[in-house]
Amino acid sequence: MPSPPWVTSVRLRIDGEHHDVHVTGTETLNDALREHLDLTATKVGCEMGNCGACTVLLDGDPVYSCLVLAAECGERSVETAAGLVDGREPGTVQQAFVDCDALQCGFCTPGQVMSVESLRRRAAAGASFDDDDLRHALAGNLCRCGAYRNILEAARSVVEVTVS
């Protein structure tokens, strides 16, 4: 039986692995990750692009996965916080969050980690940042527990910060 016309097949590349999924034209990347692929590291928050809990890297850039249609992501690189783990060891940014006590309830942590990972990669490529740049880059990720000071410290620990 053929699929209804509003359903499309898309090949997603998530954390380096390919996944073929059938999605409707209105399903978000977050829906595809969580509902079709059972990849739940990316959280569902406001579903309106206000909280940042669903932040992933799409072709290396941080995006809210609740605002991106899954059908638009075919063959693009999608990275989640789960993909930063090296075997059983946390990635550099994840370890910085632990070392700096930059998490409390942990709900916002995957999105925060992905935003900081983007900064880390840009710094490794030669970009320089001051504290205002870090605050601006993290402004789209809300932490209801108020761990902002420690999140900023974790970002500082993986990104060389210039004094302004």
Side-chain angles (χ1 to χ4, degrees):
M1 174 182 260
S3 298
W6 59 86
V7 174
T8 188
S9 179
V10 64
R11 176 167 257 209
L12 300 174
R13 190 170 70 224
I14 312 295
D15 298 327
E17 294 185 21
H18 287 91
H19 302 272
D20 294 313
V21 296
H22 298 287
V23 295
T24 68
T26 60
E27 281 186 279
T28 66
L29 177 56
N30 199 354
D31 294 333
L33 291 170
R34 295 181 60 83
E35 303 301 324
H36 294 291
L37 300 172
D38 201 30
L39 300 173
T40 57
T42 304
K43 302 303 178 200
V44 176
C46 67
E47 297 187 80
M48 296 182 343
N50 291 327
C51 73
C54 66
T55 302
V56 298
L57 299 184
L58 181 62
D59 295 332
D61 295 320
V63 298
Y64 300 138
S65 62
C66 72
L67 296 182
V68 177
L69 295 176
E72 297 176 324
C73 296
E75 290 301 328
R76 295 178 73 185
S77 174
V78 178
E79 295 174 81
T80 70
L84 300 180
V85 175
D86 183 15
R88 294 182 56 100
E89 296 298 317
T92 302
V93 173
Q94 292 159 322
Q95 188 61 54
F97 270 62
V98 171
D99 294 345
C100 295
D101 195 26
L103 55 144
Q104 289 183 29
C105 80
F107 189 80
C108 72
T109 305
Q112 299 274 7
V113 163
M114 296 313 292
S115 292
V116 174
E117 177 66 17
S118 173
L119 290 170
R120 187 192 69 76
R121 291 179 186 181
R122 289 174 43 211
S128 61
F129 302 98
D130 62 21
D131 270 349
D132 286 340
D133 295 327
L134 297 182
R135 283 186 188 94
H136 178 75
L138 295 170
N141 297 82
L142 302 180
C143 173
R144 286 169 178 81
C145 299
Y148 293 113
R149 179 175 293 149
N150 296 16
I151 292 166
L152 186 59
E153 188 59 35
R156 283 187 196 119
S157 75
V158 297
V159 174
E160 187 173 325
V161 177
T162 59
V163 178
S164 51

